[in-house]
Every structure is written in structure tokens, then in C-alpha cells.
Amino acid sequence: MLDTLHSAASFIVAIGVLVAFHEFGHFWVARRFGIKVLKFSIGFGKPLWSRRGKDGVEYVLAMIPLGGYVKLLDEREADVVIAPEDLPRAFNRQPVAKRIAVFAAGPAFNFILAIAFYWVLYMVGVPGMKPVIGAPPAGSLAATAGLVGGDRIVALDDQKIPTWSVLRAELLDRALSRGDTAFLVAHANGREQTVNIDLGKARVDPVLLFEDLGLNPFEPPIPAVVGQVVAGEAADRAGLKIGDRIVDIDGKPVASFQDLRSQVSARPGQLAKFGIERAGSAQQISVIIGTDTSHGEAIGRVGLAPQRMATEGDLWQDLRAEVRLGPLAAASAALHQTWQVSALTVRLLYRMVVGDVSVKNVSGPIQIAQAAGYSASAGIGAFLTFVALVSVSIGVFNLLPIPMLDGGQILFGVIEAVKGSPLSERVQAAGQQLGMTLLLMLMGLAFYNDVTSVIG
């Protein structure tokens, strides 16, 4: 319950900031052009708070925190009474360039906000993990190229790779280009080697790309000593206890807790004999491995967690990394990061349309709220990174040439500028209906993905 409330609160804070900044972009540019603003609303539905400022603008905080809007003086609105002296300030009477600028300002402010957050993060220091890989599965592209567990990815095509987050973004970017990539790899003995991997052989879906590559973060071996037994799970039913050391499964040695997890995952629903050490004596316990299907395929699980150790933090110390830059370098990195995320979002949307990327990657408010909660729990840096990422996504989404969105209105404005007159009201109304239909379909897909993730 507390986790749910924490996620909801984090989501409301994040969306509130992003919506406010987006709508402030429309508001600020409209005011700079002398256009009269009637209402500035954060949220939809019933107003929770409302105040009319000295400037005549009604400021509103509404019940549903999933968006907002800025209402401008417009003669086309049937319910608006316009004084003759205000006619020059009506939005519909503005030159097309000004109207386009007002629509573009919202997404532009989302990009500006992302740049600002990334700039602060790079100056304070972005923590991460060094791109040291675990043992690639046999048959994966990394294993075929000769990479082994403990190798560190130093660079891709001369682009330095300091952390796993940078590696993921750069590999996804290159995978979308479907070409050979030169991996500069540092082996555990210090020797460096360059290997080429054809990313065209990997699926570009973000969920599947690293599976095809066989790249996963290296985990320091954790002793296979039971620290927690989940009540009602397979291990509990079989009689495993805290303090038991798992030695083997059906005679196959268990070298670490990660090895235990790997062996169990591959055997859903099977009967296995766990060789254990308990209080200095060897025993064998029969376990019927449980089955987890929440990830779309059957995976074995028994309900065990490892014993926490006083030195556990030290196991990861050598793998930690931090990217910290001066103000100018941080500004450059922030611009690059915002551009890269924007470009990746557009390319992934296109790949989703043509079927290369699963529509399961479309997230709704529930999954976004969960991500907001996780990032907030991880610290202010992780939360700001999350907000910056969502801010870029909102900016890109609103620039899509779909009527009802800023991008659709910009498209109408461009067509008007080219042809010298506005589109007919009938064409604009048909476009609005099409845009509404597309948005409802997209919202339905997002909510469907949310529901299936919750059920899973």
C-alpha cells in the first residue's frame, strides 16, 4: 500500500512539473506576442483551486493530473464574448508564424527542461556501473565474437563508454542503423582487443536487443547461502531454511547464488534434488520448482533470496563509476543527451509502426507511475533523470503531426502558410476527429499494456 502511494505521489509530482512547464511555454510565448490568455489550467476536470490574477488570467489546478491547457482568446470559440478593443489580441487574428510559434513553445519548453536537468546532473555527477559484462550465453552475438564474462566495453566505434546506461543508449542507436560496430574490449588481464559485431543480426526491440547480443551486467559472485525463504513458495514447501548453503542441484555444482538462479530459471515445474549443507552436515532435499509466467514465458522460481553480507557493498565498489563534468562540458553533454533521446524516441516510434518494435513498449500512467516510484526511491538523481526522459518523450509526442496535438496544429499552420489561406473548417474538423480517434486508440493500447503488466 505504501509503495502504491509513494508511486502515485512521485507520478503526480513528475507529471505536474512537466505539464506546468509545457503549458507555461504556450502561455509565455503567447503573452510575449500580445495574445490574450483567458485560462491557465494544470489538470483536467473539476477545479480543486482557482484564482484570477491581476492580469485577468484564471489560474486553475484541476482534479485529473494527466495534462493541462492554456485557453487563448479566440473568435472561433462560441462561448467567448470579445470586447472590440481585444480583437487585435485574439489568437485567430495573429499571423501564421506567431500561431505556429505558440504551438511549438510547449514541446520546446519540455526539451529545455530536459536539457536543464541533464546539465545539473552532469555537473553534480551521474552515478552508474562500469560496462563490465557477465558471461554471454552460448550462441549469442557477444559469445560468437569471443567476449567472455569480466570483459569491459571501453568504446564503441571510438565513442568512449563509461557506464552501462551510456552503453545501452549507444547500442540501441547503432542497432537502429543496422550496421557493424567496433567494440573495444578490455579483458580481465588488462589486454585490449577490438571485435566487430554486426548489430543487423539483432532485433531492434529494446527488450530483445540485449538478449540477442548476450550482454548483461557482470554481478560479483554471491555465496549461495539462503538469507530469506518466501512463505508458500517452492523452497518453503520443500523445507529449505535460512542459513542453508546450496551446494548442487541434481549433482550439478552451484558456484554462486547467481548460478543457483540460472539453474532454477531453466527448469520450471521440474522436480530437482538440492544438495545442501546445514549446520555442518550434508543433506539432499527434493524441490518441485515453481513456474513464473509474468514475463511472457515460463521461468523457474523457488522463492529464495541470498544472505546479506557486511561486505556486500565492497563486492560492487570496483564496478561503480561516475560521470562528472564542468559547466561547459556538462551543457554540451546535456544537449547531446536530449538530442539522442529525442532521436531514439522518433526512430523507435517509426519501428513500432512498421512492426520491428513491439507495441508492448507503449506505457500508460500505471507503468509510468511505477517507474516514477522506483526512481524516486533510488534518489534525487535517478528521479531527475526519469523526469528528464519523460519530458523529452512528451516533447516528441506533442510534435507528432496528429490533429489534437501541437504537431498537428503546426502542420495546419504550415499548410496555411504554403497555400496562402487556412484549410476549410470541414477539413480541419475531419482532421480533429481523426486525431481524436488515433489518440483514443493509443490511450487504449497504453492502458491495455498497463493492465496486462499489473495482472502479470
Side-chain angles (χ1 to χ4, degrees):
M1 182 63 179
L2 290 177
D3 288 342
T4 300
L5 291 175
H6 181 257
S7 295
S10 302
F11 173 75
I12 291 172
V13 170
I15 294 300
V17 169
L18 296 174
V19 169
F21 213 75
H22 177 97
E23 298 304 332
F24 180 73
H26 295 308
F27 173 85
W28 187 83
V29 172
R31 293 283 292 267
R32 297 288 78 74
F33 288 148
I35 301 169
K36 186 170 183 177
V37 180
L38 302 178
K39 182 182 290 187
F40 184 112
S41 178
I42 304 301
F44 298 112
K46 182 179 179 180
L48 299 174
W49 174 87
S50 177
R51 184 178 70 85
R52 189 172 298 278
K54 294 180 180 179
D55 52 6
V57 179
E58 183 185 4
Y59 297 91
V60 177
L61 187 64
M63 181 175 292
I64 305 173
L66 295 179
Y69 62 94
V70 171
K71 185 175 182 179
L72 305 176
L73 184 68
D74 196 313
E75 292 176 275
R76 295 167 295 184
E77 297 287 341
D79 61 338
V80 176
V81 178
I82 304 178
E85 63 270 18
D86 282 336
L87 286 175
R89 301 178 64 192
F91 179 71
N92 61 288
R93 294 202 175 196
Q94 306 305 311
V96 65
K98 288 187 178 181
R99 284 184 275 130
I100 289 175
V102 171
F103 284 121
F109 269 54
N110 280 125
F111 296 130
I112 291 170
L113 182 64
I115 292 169
F117 281 168
Y118 284 133
W119 180 63
V120 171
L121 286 166
Y122 277 119
M123 286 196 299
V124 172
V126 179
M129 302 299 292
K130 295 177 182 178
V132 179
I133 67 172
S140 64
L141 292 174
T144 303
L147 273 62
V148 297
D151 286 347
R152 178 168 61 89
I153 311 299
V154 178
L156 298 177
D157 297 327
D158 297 326
Q159 169 72 42
K160 290 185 178 180
I161 305 296
T163 63
W164 263 100
S165 60
V166 175
L167 176 64
R168 291 189 180 97
E170 293 293 337
L171 276 177
L172 182 56
D173 185 36
R174 285 163 172 76
L176 289 167
S177 301
R178 315 297 286 171
D180 277 355
T181 296
F183 285 64
L184 178 60
V185 179
H187 298 296
N189 60 9
R191 182 177 63 89
E192 292 190 349
Q193 177 187 8
T194 299
V195 297
N196 290 311
I197 297 179
D198 183 6
L199 297 182
K201 296 180 180 179
R203 290 168 288 183
V204 296
D205 191 301
V207 177
L208 303 174
L209 172 62
F210 280 76
E211 178 182 324
D212 290 349
L213 287 171
L215 296 179
N216 290 293
F218 172 78
E219 298 182 31
I222 298 173
V225 178
V226 177
Q228 179 184 355
V229 181
V230 180
E233 294 271 3
D236 181 43
R237 294 193 301 269
L240 284 165
K241 297 181 179 180
I242 293 175
D244 289 346
R245 178 183 292 273
I246 313 299
V247 178
D248 64 75
I249 298 178
D250 286 338
K252 185 177 180 180
V254 173
S256 63
F257 201 90
Q258 291 93 329
D259 187 19
L260 168 65
R261 182 175 57 200
S262 177
Q263 291 195 43
V264 166
S265 296
R267 300 182 59 179
Q270 296 183 22
L271 174 66
K273 287 191 178 295
F274 280 41
I276 69 168
E277 289 183 0
R278 177 182 295 173
S281 64
Q283 299 183 30
Q284 282 200 337
I285 294 181
S286 295
V287 181
I288 300 177
I289 298 174
T291 302
D292 180 3
T293 59
S294 62
H295 299 282
E297 59 179 329
I299 298 174
R301 59 176 292 166
V302 292
L304 293 177
Q307 188 179 66
R308 298 188 66 85
M309 297 168 292
T311 59
E312 187 173 344
D314 297 336
L315 295 174
W316 298 90
Q317 186 59 43
D318 291 340
L319 296 175
R320 292 192 176 98
E322 183 179 74
V323 179
R324 182 177 297 186
L325 304 171
L328 291 179
S332 177
L335 286 168
H336 171 76
Q337 180 79 356
T338 303
W339 169 256
Q340 184 182 52
V341 174
S342 302
L344 282 175
T345 302
V346 173
R347 295 169 76 185
L348 286 171
L349 283 172
Y350 170 74
R351 291 303 184 103
M352 200 175 295
V353 171
V354 300
D356 290 341
V357 173
S358 172
V359 293
K360 292 181 180 180
N361 288 284
V362 177
S363 298
I366 295 176
Q367 293 185 67
I368 295 173
Q370 290 175 338
Y374 295 149
S375 63
S377 298
I380 185 64
F383 186 64
L384 289 182
T385 301
F386 165 79
V387 175
L389 178 63
V390 177
S391 188
V392 171
S393 299
I394 291 175
V396 170
F397 178 74
N398 274 277
L399 285 176
L400 295 178
I402 299 174
M404 299 295 294
L405 296 179
D406 296 325
Q409 300 304 316
I410 292 171
L411 177 61
F412 284 164
V414 170
I415 293 173
E416 178 182 340
V418 171
K419 70 188 289 284
S421 61
L423 291 169
S424 68
E425 290 186 5
R426 191 179 74 169
V427 171
Q428 291 192 49
Q432 299 285 7
Q433 290 178 347
L434 174 62
M436 179 64 74
T437 301
L438 291 173
L439 288 177
L440 288 174
M441 291 173 61
L442 185 60
M443 289 172 60
L445 174 63
F447 276 106
Y448 172 79
N449 287 343
D450 276 357
V451 171
T452 53
S453 72
V454 170
I455 293 173

